[in-house]
Amino acid sequence: MPLSPQRDGTDDGYEAAWAAISEWIEGDGSWSGRERNLCYVNNRDGTFADISAASGLDFIEDGRSFASGDLDGDGDLDLVIKSRNSPGLRIVRNDWPASRSATVRLRGRESNRDGIGAEVRVRAGGLEIRRTVRAGSGFLSQHAKDLHFGLGGRSRAEELRVRWPSGTEQVFPGFPAGKQVTVVEGSGELRLKELTAGRKGGGLDGAATDRIGETTGERRTGTWLVEPLPAPAWTLKALDGSTQTLDQYRGSALLLNIWASWCPPCRAELRDLQHGLGRLGESGVSVAAVSVDEAAAEDAVRAIVGAEGLSFPVLLADVRFRAAYTTLVRSLLARRTELGIPTSLLLDGEGMIEKVYLGRVTADQVASDAGHIGESAASRLARALPFPGRFFESRPARDYTRLGAELLEVGVPDLSVPYLRKAIQQRPSLSSAHYDLGTAYAATAQLEAARISFETAISLSPKHAQAHNSLGVVLGTMGRHGDAAERFRSALAANPSYSKAIANLATALERAGNAAAAADTLERGVRANPRDTGLANRLGSLLARTGDLTQAETWFKEALARSGEDPETLTNLALLEAQRGNLNAAKDQLLRLIDNHEGNAPVRMALARVQIASGDIEGARETLVELVGREPAHEPARQLLESIGK
Amino acid sequence: MAGGQSRAARPVAVRPILAVCASALLWLTPWARAEPASERFPLPDASRPGRPIDRLAEKAAASGDSYPAEAAAEELHASLRSLGEAFRSGDIGAAAILADELLGRPPGRPGREPTVVGLERWKAQAAELPALDRDRFLAQIGHTVSKFDRIRVAEFHITEVAVGTADSGQQAKTQVHFELTGPTSSDGRAQMVGDWSMAWAKSGGSWEVREWHWDRTAWASAEQALFADITEEALGKNASYRQQLLPGVDEWRSSTDAALGIDVFGHHGVSVGDVDGDGDADLYISQPSGLPNRLLRNDGDLQFTDVTDVSGTGALDSTSMSVIADVDNDGDQDLVLVGASTPMLFRNDGTGRYQIAPGAFRFAGPSRAQLTSAAMADYDRDGNLDLYVCAYRHQGAGSAHGPPAPYHDANNGPANTLFRNRGDGTFEDVTQTSGVDHNNRRFSFAASWGDFDSDGWPDLYVANDFGRNNLYRNQGDGTFSDVAASAGVEDIGAGMSVAWLDHDLDGRLDLYVGNMWSSAGQRITGEPAFAPAGGAGLLASYRRHAKGNSLFRGVTGGSFEDVSELSGTAAGRWAWSSDALDLNGDGYDEIYIANGYITNSDTQDL
């Protein structure tokens, strides 16, 4: 049973693929991009022909929607095209040297006034054209409600029939081409209006077709956040040897600059900040610059700080800072953005991030921006919005759930807690946020808080197998093995093939003193999950602990048959040999394993134990010294080393 | 291949069947991106934590690629690109991939196509002569393409690939869809599209073309421009055009707080309607969250003025679509916006100024559905316009519903809603009682009303992603029944848009449905290794997913026949809006398709 439950993502490759693809396109990935819009001309024989390029409508941007209507009143259909990327909007005038047309406009009386749903049939020469007034067609578009009738060179339509939604049918004897015809429901008269002659010329050239990726060329400096969020906490070593925390800066605004010694614009920016330090001070802004250099580059950092005469604190990023701020920056803008340098964050006196500068910022800009901190929520929103407008039914809201979950995943569970709590504040019924929060608490050994969070997650989502499993782990860690076993059983009820829960149930049963039930659980799990590779090894270990070496060996071999060269199982098999008294054979096996799996600490621990058992204390000491050298934090190895030292 | 910078790194094979072969993700490129806007330096990979995609890519790389012919297709595609270069340079023979012993069949005698005013067209099958040797063949091809002044665009799709091994090494046969476009000598616009069959052999590590047959070649050219892009002159005087409407969503996503919620998909449409009652066509442009929708008033002579602020229609709510209609029958055009979670009604005061009517739409129960689109009709013929609203997915993190499953027939989406106009300014949710709740847990992109059985009652077609579509037949008593299966229009696939038309003027309504056409998807689902557990039926469904748009021809008895291939309207690429309209005034509808999913800084993906 792992002491701190890992956040169990789904094992499902399908969901994982979805998550990854989302991330790909939310970042910079292209996917079926640069496809050209298509135009098919009707061959009037049931077939169509591609004329995309000849028509000039083969635009390359990511088209989404288009609406048609006679924008210039000349009797043909013009187009308005809406695309995902630039150019986001095109108005395209129809210059087709085509024959004359007519437009029919309906006015409902008994029917809805727009005549939506009315069907109009126009007969001209051999043609009978049927059209319906619609409101919503294609994708996300609505065309003009005036109906367009191309008459194919005929100078007149011979008949016009309207069937209104009310059921009323009207028949008219016809009208000349080149007219806008208005039909009022129930009125026997057609109102005719002349269509204008449209302008032509200035057709599309190829370059216009491939106008893609244009931007306004305007760049605003930095991004005000609609909704400030807390900056992740840190405790960092400063160049002067002191230790600083983010909390120390509370009470005044802070420009948190992220830089590195190998980044020339960063250095220029720091120089400017140093020059402007007085102005920044007057505006109430402190500056702290965190270098994300590798530890070995401390001298390079020191050299720049000295050469530039930087008088504000310069701090050295640690693993936690990198993890937290990389994750934070990914979440700040709508486009997933990797942390690049320089990046700066403007924090208020409460440690809330107000503004983000990706790229260089000047002291003047920061001093000016700091003047806006603390303004009303309405002013803040106005600054964060590119254009004025009004939210009617929705409000901007940050996705704290995702940020929290991602901080958890990158190994800083304590830093995820504030965001997960905000997520829960926003949506108290969000089971996954409670689950993540429980995981964060468990990872930081706050067992009681973890228990409560997992229980809440379960109450909101009773079949949440992972939450049951994690709660079981917490209870088990608290020593409540019976309660833990119940939870693992619930996890299995929700997901019978959940092998972690099977393993955990067995551990709980064994710790509660019921080794037989534990073995039974594992054996059933092994048989029910023929592709699982861990349970058989666990079963072998359990049987070995109970002294049934023969059965243990059987299951270890089963585990190997399933997993191939699994070092853990091979280690167990070696320990089994040792148990049987074949100490030398065991040692040989373990040494071979170390050759193949150099970094594997459990193998070295096992070897040390076997060496001690065989009286080779010197060998054991060597093994353990090597292990501690590789993993200084390996407590069991230290303890064992100490005990044999005596 | 993993992590390569070559063309093999493009995610082409993932497109159509992203969910079925996660292993294909191994082609995704690394994330390094030059930041164009400002000088920013990426951190070294080792010092940053990974993302889900990194982990998946590792896993995929370990599991290897299970589609061997797909690897060859990637290489062949790269070879074709050099052929494209040769076409553009004007010297096809310069392409190094053409073998000395190349045998080719050029297009045969051109046959005339039906006359279309403004276009010159011809079509040819491969010549029925014995294949020509390299020099004679290339001379013929040179002659064929000589009507171009130059070739500006040469693009190719490999739709079929078969790989084999002979004594001399690896061999391949491909079907290639080609597109050559460029100006004519008199500055017209011309295109030559069609299909080649090509035989390849690998020689010294690179592929060579040994046989090249021009199976089908179609020429079209317009000496006089058929369309003119007048956006600048029509909108240029409005600051909002250059600042807001011209840039795409990516620019906004790169410079606004994620909390505003501007997403990458760009599902924001456009409507044409007469908002000020002056008789001409005004435009309403839907925008993502945090950017105001824009109302552009037609001032005549193709000049538009942005009247968003004065009209009160600058909603910042994420808007996917708008419907302009006289919802209260008072003689002016009202505005319905499809917001992310609810439709909104804005009533026109008769002068083109709008006020929201709060609470006009009430869902029967709590809904966290994300809405996509809407279509209006008077389904119960009481004189008041009703609204059908599509929903695509469940909103918010931690949704218990998960991604669409199963991929080919997803039935875990949110419910679409039918709102009945009560005639008092409010709409009631009649989804349950009207029968449209049947088969209503799909991922719906679009719907449109059309009386396909000509009984006077509007019926409703709904296009759903990841599965089958709905045709709700209006039974004339306020209820509907889904007859998509019996009418033959289930159209399993990635449904994206709906258009009713009568393409052959036989008086019966036909149906054109936007889907996804992917050459990579067709190749992969055609490979023997592609065998989803579930057998032939499922395989057919997956294949259908990559096959493209569908044209269903209405036949007697209220049913339809699939004429997509026959009519030549299937290959719409990653189609979004596919719709029908008579562009040349001959009475018959053309088809226009706005397509392409996501173009980004990664230029490897074509």
Side-chain angles (χ1 to χ4, degrees), chain A residues 90-278:
Chain A
R90 289 189 196 252
I91 298 183
V92 179
R93 186 185 66 213
N94 189 338
D95 286 355
W96 207 316
S99 40
R100 305 188 80 191
S101 302
T103 331
V104 175
R105 176 175 295 181
L106 301 183
R107 282 287 158 264
R109 280 182 163 164
E110 197 185 333
S111 306
N112 70 81
R113 198 172 172 287
D114 291 343
I116 292 169
E119 191 180 283
V120 178
R121 287 173 191 254
V122 167
R123 203 150 51 73
L127 304 181
E128 184 170 305
I129 307 163
R130 169 186 178 176
R131 298 202 180 280
T132 306
V133 183
R134 296 183 210 289
S137 180
F139 179 59
L140 310 181
S141 55
Q142 179 189 13
H143 309 302
K145 290 190 285 286
D146 290 352
L147 298 177
H148 170 261
F149 291 89
L151 301 180
R154 293 153 185 91
S155 58
R156 250 196 98 72
E158 293 121 35
E159 185 183 83
L160 168 68
R161 286 173 173 269
V162 182
R163 192 180 68 184
W164 296 88
S166 63
T168 306
E169 297 218 26
Q170 291 180 272
V171 185
F172 300 91
F175 54 87
K179 304 287 184 196
Q180 185 195 74
V181 181
T182 301
V183 185
V184 178
E185 187 176 11
S187 155
E189 259 180 74
L190 292 182
R191 279 191 242 148
L192 300 182
K193 191 181 141 191
E194 203 68 33
L195 292 169
T196 60
R199 283 184 301 134
K200 300 225 185 291
L204 285 166
D205 62 16
T209 309
D210 287 357
R211 213 159 53 99
I212 189 170
E214 275 184 28
T215 67
T216 59
E218 291 172 26
R219 284 279 162 181
R220 284 160 307 151
T221 308
T223 299
W224 286 99
L225 300 186
V226 173
E227 187 183 317
L229 79 167
W234 41 258
T235 302
L236 295 175
K237 195 182 122 200
L239 265 197
D240 65 7
S242 67
T243 297
Q244 296 204 357
T245 67
L246 176 58
D247 265 352
Q248 285 173 290
Y249 289 88
R250 276 182 186 264
S252 76
L254 169 68
L255 183 75
L256 183 66
N257 175 272
I258 303 174
W259 69 288
S261 62
W262 45 265
C263 152
C266 297
R267 183 169 178 167
E269 182 182 49
L270 291 172
R271 187 181 307 144
D272 173 73
L273 291 174
Q274 179 63 36
H275 281 302
L277 211 52

Side-chain angles (χ1 to χ4, degrees), chain A residues 615-638:
Chain A
D616 180 8
I617 304 296
E618 206 39 54
R621 185 172 290 123
E622 251 172 56
T623 304
L624 290 168
V625 166
E626 165 91 24
L627 174 52
V628 171
R630 285 168 179 273
E631 293 187 34
H634 201 292
E635 233 4 82
R638 283 182 178 284

Side-chain angles (χ1 to χ4, degrees), chain A residues 14 30 62 64 134 142 145, chain B residues 191 324 404 449 597 599-600:
Chain A
Y14 181 68
S30 289
D62 301 336
R64 286 293 178 270
R134 296 183 210 289
Q142 179 189 13
K145 290 190 285 286
Chain B
Q191 65 178 68
I324 301 169
W449 296 91
Y597 189 20
T599 301
N600 223 318

